[in-house]
Amino acid sequence: MAGQASAAKMKVTVALGLSAVMAAGAVGCSQKEEETKGKAEQKATITVSNYDRGNIPAAEGTVEDNRWTKWINEHSPVTPKYVPIARAESVKKLNVLFASGSAPDVVNDYDTGFRNSLYQQKQLMPLDDYLKYAPEYQKLLEKYPQLRKIGTKPDGKLYEIGKINEPHLQSVAFIRMDWLKKLKLEVPKTTDELLVVLKAFVEQDPDGNGKKDTYGTNMSYTSDGMVDSMFGSYGWKISSDDKIIRTWDNTLESLKFKKKLFEEGLIDKDYLADKNGAKAKQDYLNGKIGVFLPPAITNWFENTVTDVQTLRKVVPEAEVAPMAQPKSSMGQFVHHVVNPVQMTTVVNAAAKNPKAAMEYIDFIIKPETSLILKKGMEGEHWKKGADGFPKVIDPAKNAKELDWAADYSMFYSIPENPLLISTTAFDVSVPDQKAGLDMLKKADEFLLNPDAQYPALSHYEHMPTLPSDLVVVNTNVDKEMKDIFAKGIIGGAKYTPEQAVADAKAAWERGGGKQIEEFMNTWYKENKDRAFLGKDILDLVRSQHK
């Protein structure tokens, strides 16, 4: 009996001991959970707009909740709640949110005019007093004073956060060097020489198939802008007496050149039907275009490696090289460049915690943060190559898990992290990729010609924002002039470029263009010291290359 009682007592004691241990463990777990929860609760919460491009795979989640938002929330000093904004309707959506008083604390949008309108409506918070919470951005402002110059509004206060982009061309012509060699021709240096080369590409059977089925160049979609840039024909320029005037004379010369391309059969006669440039791109990849003018280059690797590999599947001996803008009757110009100083981000004047907003911005622009948001995790999405730069392990995996995440760090300055710049995508141990990198470097050299001017008054993102009434005027008259210019190209001998420009001038004046000219000159007079014009663009990109 006594033994049974003792055994029972032991069981109770052991049971109580186990209960105590389990209880202690539970308390420990509870304490850890509370600590974690406490830390999360201690972090300030802000709202941040983020583009919704509809490109996140369903298995990866949503703009608000996915692997990268989880990573950001875990590592950021603040908790951002993302507000998805459909990219195609971003301004419309954000305007509705501001009107209803529910706009995000941090607003990311590339539209210069929209951000200016928010400033005019006093919807933005000046950031000068909060820069101390963003030391990373303070460093950028010191290194690139252009960021402060452009981000500062007429009241003298800083309102916009921006980034420095890589100093590359926004587009460049690609010429078939194998065709030039076959026809014993040189790379054209002037627009007159270019016409000779393009005519030979059409008439002298450069692909050797015995048919007249090749084009000299292309002009569909926005590629005709490449022709305009040869002549400095981009709407506005500064006159010899320091006023802003229309580029009517430049436009006339550009129009005359385009008409020759059309009438002499050097381009596809149905170019106007190619609304997105897809047919021209296909013609180029099928080996049928001698000088390809891409609408824009968003991925140098694709244009210099992938496209050339695709072309060589059709034409194994194809040899492609970038071509500098030929000198025209209006002077020597460079191609357009990627906006070197791009403003992207503002803080809502109604934000309850601007300190937290700046701490979030500071976290995102840390080099180590953006490396992860741009390249993913080392060992999972990339590994270091022999050159020390990140190389993609599995492109398909990245397409699914990573490539859609760039907007979370849209205000990061890529040149500030050597591991992120475009040239690191090229593996020089692979011949095709080394050739692609050489093409990119060659194109960069075109920017360094000291005699070459920028082809426009400025990059369009740095142009003054028209008031709403003049936006309507400009939209209407611009459409009418485009129709007139198209007729000037395809309208035959009876409708000359000279007549087209005369008619466009009349439409401009009739439609209220003089009001826009007055606005532009008032803006220039008041802002010339802080405006970021074509010369400033070239000075910056050239200094970056040096």
Side-chain angles (χ1 to χ4, degrees):
M1 261 324 252
Q4 288 177 342
S6 177
K9 186 177 180 182
M10 184 182 289
K11 284 180 182 177
V12 171
T13 304
V14 171
L16 287 171
L18 285 171
S19 297
V21 170
M22 289 172 71
V27 170
C29 288
S30 177
Q31 284 176 341
K32 284 182 182 176
E33 287 170 5
E34 286 298 319
E35 285 172 12
T36 303
K37 187 178 177 184
K39 285 179 183 176
E41 287 175 351
Q42 287 168 18
K43 288 166 67 168
T45 298
I46 61 169
T47 50
V48 181
S49 76
N50 202 76
Y51 285 143
D52 183 355
R53 300 178 187 269
N55 60 349
I56 302 178
E60 287 294 306
T62 63
V63 167
E64 306 100 299
D65 184 21
N66 57 65
R67 71 176 65 223
W68 303 113
T69 61
K70 288 183 175 75
W71 183 88
I72 291 169
N73 273 307
E74 185 180 343
H75 295 87
S76 169
V78 304
T79 300
K81 289 189 174 180
Y82 290 100
V83 179
I85 304 292
R87 179 64 183 102
E89 299 179 341
S90 63
V91 170
K92 181 180 177 182
K93 171 71 172 177
L94 286 166
N95 272 326
V96 169
L97 292 176
F98 271 100
S100 65
S102 56
D105 299 319
V106 176
V107 176
N108 297 300
D109 198 88
Y110 288 119
D111 193 302
T112 304
F114 167 65
R115 296 193 313 275
N116 282 342
S117 72
L118 293 179
Y119 164 74
Q120 290 159 3
Q121 297 161 19
K122 302 190 183 307
Q123 300 268 29
L124 300 185
M125 182 168 291
L127 304 176
D128 305 80
D129 293 341
Y130 300 100
L131 285 174
K132 58 190 174 187
Y133 302 116
E136 291 288 334
Y137 196 68
Q138 282 184 307
K139 290 180 201 171
L140 270 183
L141 290 173
E142 291 169 11
K143 186 173 180 180
Y144 300 100
Q146 297 91 343
L147 277 169
R148 184 180 289 278
K149 177 181 179 182
I150 297 166
T152 299
K153 296 299 184 185
D155 66 0
K157 297 176 182 176
L158 182 73
Y159 286 88
E160 295 188 326
I161 298 292
K163 64 179 176 179
I164 301 297
N165 285 319
E166 292 185 81
H168 299 308
L169 293 169
Q170 194 160 23
S171 195
V172 69
F174 291 101
I175 188 167
R176 286 286 298 275
M177 296 299 291
D178 53 316
W179 284 12
L180 284 177
K181 290 173 184 175
K182 180 177 179 180
L183 302 178
K184 296 181 171 54
L185 295 168
E186 299 291 327
V187 175
K189 299 287 195 300
T190 67
T191 49
D192 287 341
E193 291 176 4
L194 177 59
L195 282 173
V196 172
V197 167
L198 296 181
K199 198 163 188 175
F201 283 172
V202 169
E203 297 179 351
Q204 295 183 30
D205 191 24
D207 61 354
N209 68 351
K211 300 176 184 177
K212 190 176 178 181
D213 60 351
T214 51
Y215 299 114
T217 187
N218 60 292
M219 212 168 67
S220 57
Y221 188 36
T222 58
S223 292
D224 68 328
M226 295 276 280
V227 177
D228 288 329
S229 69
M230 296 177 195
F231 294 89
S233 173
Y234 267 92
W236 304 97
K237 66 180 179 181
I238 299 173
S239 66
S240 56
D241 58 348
D242 201 33
K243 292 180 180 176
I244 291 185
I245 60 172
R246 295 290 297 179
T247 55
W248 298 116
D249 50 349
N250 305 71
T251 299
L252 175 59
E253 294 303 307
S254 178
L255 205 56
K256 285 155 75 172
F257 189 85
K258 291 176 182 178
K259 194 173 184 78
K260 284 181 182 176
L261 294 178
F262 180 81
E263 292 195 332
E264 294 183 20
L266 307 183
I267 59 172
D268 183 348
K269 287 286 183 84
D270 293 326
Y271 78 97
L272 288 172
D274 186 11
K275 298 295 185 184
N276 60 4
K279 178 171 185 302
K281 178 71 176 280
Q282 202 55 49
D283 287 338
Y284 167 62
L285 296 178
N286 284 331
K288 296 302 177 184
I289 290 181
V291 176
F292 179 58
L293 307 179
I297 296 177
T298 56
N299 184 327
W300 277 92
F301 188 93
E302 179 181 333
N303 284 78
T304 61
V305 178
T306 309
D307 284 354
V308 176
Q309 289 174 335
T310 302
L311 171 61
R312 284 182 178 153
K313 289 177 183 175
V314 180
V315 188
E317 71 276 12
E319 187 181 339
V320 178
M323 183 183 82
Q325 287 286 51
K327 187 175 182 179
S328 72
S329 54
M330 302 308 293
Q332 179 73 64
F333 298 92
V334 297
H335 297 275
H336 279 274
V337 301
V338 173
N339 184 1
V341 185
Q342 188 173 31
M343 312 314 288
T344 66
T345 303
V346 290
V347 176
N348 188 342
K352 292 183 174 63
N353 196 336
K355 171 179 177 286
M358 295 303 285
E359 288 176 336
Y360 166 77
I361 289 168
D362 196 64
F363 167 73
I364 294 293
I365 63 174
K366 288 180 184 294
E368 57 270 26
T369 302
S370 279
L371 178 62
I372 286 173
L373 293 176
K374 299 286 188 187
K375 295 289 186 182
M377 298 296 180
E378 184 175 6
E380 186 177 346
H381 298 100
W382 62 275
K383 61 182 179 181
K384 281 188 179 178
D387 55 7
F389 294 121
K391 305 301 175 193
V392 174
I393 297 171
D394 181 353
K397 178 181 174 68
N398 282 19
K400 178 189 172 187
E401 298 180 358
L402 174 69
D403 294 347
W404 43 264
D407 287 326
Y408 292 106
S409 58
M410 67 182 267
F411 46 81
Y412 180 70
S413 298
I414 295 289
E416 295 306 292
N417 191 334
L419 297 179
L420 290 177
I421 58 176
S422 297
T423 54
T424 64
F426 298 83
D427 185 344
V428 294
S429 67
V430 179
D432 283 356
Q433 294 191 35
K434 183 181 184 305
L437 179 57
D438 289 342
M439 288 170 72
L440 170 55
K441 290 179 177 178
K442 182 69 175 175
D444 283 343
E445 290 176 13
F446 301 155
L447 283 167
L448 305 181
N449 179 357
D451 298 325
Q453 310 167 62
Y454 196 69
L457 182 65
S458 184
H459 188 282
Y460 70 88
E461 290 184 6
H462 295 294
M463 292 290 285
T465 304
L466 295 174
S468 56
D469 59 328
L470 292 186
V471 169
V472 175
V473 170
N474 190 62
T475 300
N476 292 338
V477 75
D478 188 58
K479 182 183 185 307
E480 187 176 357
M481 290 196 301
K482 281 181 178 175
D483 291 341
I484 290 170
F485 292 145
K487 184 181 174 185
I489 296 168
I490 67 175
K494 290 182 180 178
Y495 197 70
T496 64
E498 288 81 1
Q499 185 61 53
V501 170
D503 290 348
K505 279 184 180 179
W508 174 257
E509 296 188 11
R510 185 174 62 249
K514 286 296 181 184
Q515 298 174 60
I516 300 176
E517 289 182 42
E518 290 171 10
F519 171 85
M520 291 291 289
N521 275 287
T522 300
W523 169 83
Y524 181 60
K525 186 177 179 180
E526 294 175 353
N527 295 278
K528 67 165 67 177
D529 292 335
R530 66 184 197 88
F532 194 62
L533 303 179
K535 182 180 182 301
D536 303 307
I537 290 173
L538 288 182
D539 285 346
L540 177 56
V541 297
R542 285 167 179 168
S543 70
Q544 284 179 277
H545 279 293
K546 288 175 185 175

